[in-house]
Amino acid sequence: FRDTYEDEPLIRTPSFNEADVSDKASNVSGLPLLTEEDISTIEDNYRGRLGSLRQVDNQVGRIIKVLKRKGEFKNTYIAFVSDNGYLQGEHRLAASKFLPFENSIRIPAMISGPGIKAGREVSRPAMDVDLTATLLDIAGAKPGRTMDGISLLNAAKGKKGLPKRDIPMEAERPLFKFTTPLTAFDVPFYGVKTNRYKYIHWSFGEQELYDMKKDPHELENLASRPGMAGVLAKLESKAKKLSKCKGKSCR
């Protein structure tokens, strides 16, 4: 599928090659505007990823064919997730997955199987820790350790909605010990995302705050505004509390 998507245009959100990043934390605020050559490379990589995903789709299709041939398809749940999102030009970042912008931390999660209606969408957020609880629920197994997440099965079946939850975000330490232009953004942070705000506290002391209802593309960091001091304090408290939560206190 190398050339299958050679004419597919690159998606450019309002944050693509953002005109002004001076409000961002210092690991982004000094980035230069992307050049035409940079954008061309991003577009090539984007098309290549589409081709790679097309092959993943083919392999999933082969698995489903085997399940049907063996008579097991109607008794099988299939869960599909990604390990991380990717920044492809947003906020002037040509290639990164380490920063807590939406393009990086929001990933698709799809579940099919008995009792799940095709096309059903659940709008409230889930977390990666929910996957363990979901698979245990499907298997009818009891966990041998405390579960921080909840099962998504009833929500997927339309029997029960997901609860309103504050979503913790954290990178406790760098993932890699070596440094490249990509891993230069592999910096620890902690934070929280509520139904309105996203708050990030970087290990180098700087903060970011976005009103996700008014500014879903994270164009304006509100952390330095005096009128937001109270919001920052509340979110800092929530983030620290969630970073130490266990079991039900995480939900």
Side-chain angles (χ1 to χ4, degrees):
F1 301 104
R2 179 182 179 88
D3 302 318
T4 301
Y5 299 98
E6 61 180 1
D7 297 322
E8 189 70 23
L10 176 68
I11 295 174
R12 303 191 186 198
T13 69
S15 64
F16 184 84
N17 207 11
E18 188 175 347
D20 182 6
V21 293
S22 62
D23 63 311
K24 301 293 186 287
S26 56
N27 53 351
V28 171
S29 62
L31 292 175
L33 282 165
L34 299 170
T35 65
E36 287 301 317
E37 183 178 356
D38 293 331
I39 294 172
S40 179
T41 299
I42 294 169
E43 190 164 51
D44 286 343
N45 289 336
Y46 170 67
R47 291 166 174 168
R49 290 188 181 98
L50 291 177
S52 296
L53 191 58
R54 179 68 177 271
Q55 178 61 5
V56 172
D57 186 58
N58 279 356
Q59 296 304 315
V60 172
R62 290 179 63 186
I63 293 170
I64 289 174
K65 285 182 179 179
V66 172
L67 289 169
K68 288 182 176 179
R69 189 168 67 247
K70 299 290 185 178
E72 294 290 349
F73 179 68
K74 292 184 178 180
N75 190 39
T76 300
Y77 286 92
I78 298 173
F80 178 90
V81 295
S82 170
D83 59 343
N84 55 266
Y86 212 77
L87 290 149
Q88 301 177 116
E90 295 82 11
H91 314 290
R92 303 188 186 182
L93 289 151
S96 185
K97 60 183 180 180
F98 301 106
L99 290 97
F101 291 121
E102 289 295 275
N103 311 74
S104 177
I105 65 170
R106 288 192 67 176
I107 60 173
M110 293 178 279
I111 304 175
S112 69
I116 300 177
K117 184 178 179 180
R120 173 175 170 75
E121 294 185 8
V122 179
S123 59
R124 284 185 180 168
M127 294 185 281
D128 51 3
V129 293
D130 295 334
L131 292 172
T132 306
T134 302
L135 296 176
L136 286 168
D137 190 9
I138 288 171
K142 291 184 178 181
R145 59 179 63 184
T146 301
M147 292 286 102
D148 293 341
I150 61 173
S151 174
L152 305 174
L153 188 57
N154 282 334
K157 291 182 175 181
K159 293 182 177 180
K160 186 178 181 181
L162 292 178
K164 290 183 179 180
R165 292 183 287 176
D166 295 329
I167 305 297
M169 298 177 291
E170 62 182 4
E172 294 182 337
R173 63 189 65 84
L175 291 173
F176 297 97
K177 293 183 178 180
F178 55 87
T179 300
T180 68
L182 176 61
T183 59
F185 298 101
D186 184 11
V187 180
F189 65 86
Y190 65 86
V192 63
K193 185 176 179 182
T194 69
N195 65 340
R196 179 167 182 178
Y197 293 106
K198 177 193 283 187
Y199 168 72
I200 301 297
H201 191 137
W202 289 97
S203 58
F204 47 85
E206 296 179 31
Q207 297 171 307
E208 293 185 64
L209 174 67
Y210 299 98
D211 186 332
M212 301 305 295
K213 286 188 176 180
K214 294 181 178 180
D215 180 25
H217 297 285
E218 300 162 290
L219 299 175
E220 188 174 6
N221 179 11
L222 305 175
S224 62
R225 292 196 177 185
M228 302 304 293
V231 174
L232 280 174
K234 288 180 180 179
L235 293 174
E236 171 73 13
S237 177
K238 283 185 178 183
K240 285 192 171 181
K241 184 178 179 180
L242 285 170
S243 70
K244 300 176 182 179
C245 72
K246 293 181 180 180
K248 291 183 179 180
S249 63
C250 299
R251 303 169 192 166

